Amino acid sequence: MSTILKIALIATLLVYAGGVAYTYYSNKQFQEKVAVFDLDKNGVIDKTEINKQSSSLARQQVKRKTTKQGALVLIPVSLVIGLFVYGIAFLFRKIKLTNETAIFYKNTNK
């Protein structure tokens, strides 16, 4: 396996792992906020539990994605970022090889 491919694979895995970790942490923090206003402990803020403080949290709960959805969305995102990293590493390697093998014509006449 070439070095460039390894770099791209590592970048892809790091982006995916970081994204999943952030999604999990964010979801856990949100569930803790919901638990404060959830009086019947069913995991959802019902109509009877909505007040001034919990109304914005209830609106966020409707729109919020779960950890499983976030993990699926991160797959193409991490692959695209891995592709960019592959391209950048490929170009840097080409630049390095060009600089090492280039013939510099110097004017020896003084």
Side-chain angles (χ1 to χ4, degrees), residues 36-91:
V36 171
F37 295 108
D38 189 17
L39 301 176
D40 57 359
K41 304 298 180 204
N42 63 352
V44 179
I45 298 176
D46 298 329
K47 291 182 180 181
T48 59
E49 299 166 340
I50 293 180
N51 55 26
K52 287 183 181 180
Q53 291 88 9
S54 66
S55 64
S56 67
L57 198 62
R59 276 183 262 135
Q60 286 178 359
Q61 192 173 16
V62 172
K63 299 177 188 177
R64 190 149 179 93
K65 305 291 183 204
T66 63
T67 306
K68 293 178 184 176
Q69 290 171 332
L72 290 177
V73 170
L74 278 169
I75 292 172
V77 170
S78 63
L79 289 175
V80 167
I81 291 174
L83 184 64
F84 281 128
V85 169
Y86 179 84
I88 291 169
F90 181 77
L91 289 176

Side-chain angles (χ1 to χ4, degrees), residues 1-21:
M1 188 181 278
S2 72
T3 306
I4 298 172
L5 191 59
K6 288 179 187 177
I7 292 170
L9 184 63
I10 290 170
T12 302
L13 292 176
L14 285 175
V15 167
Y16 184 75
V20 169

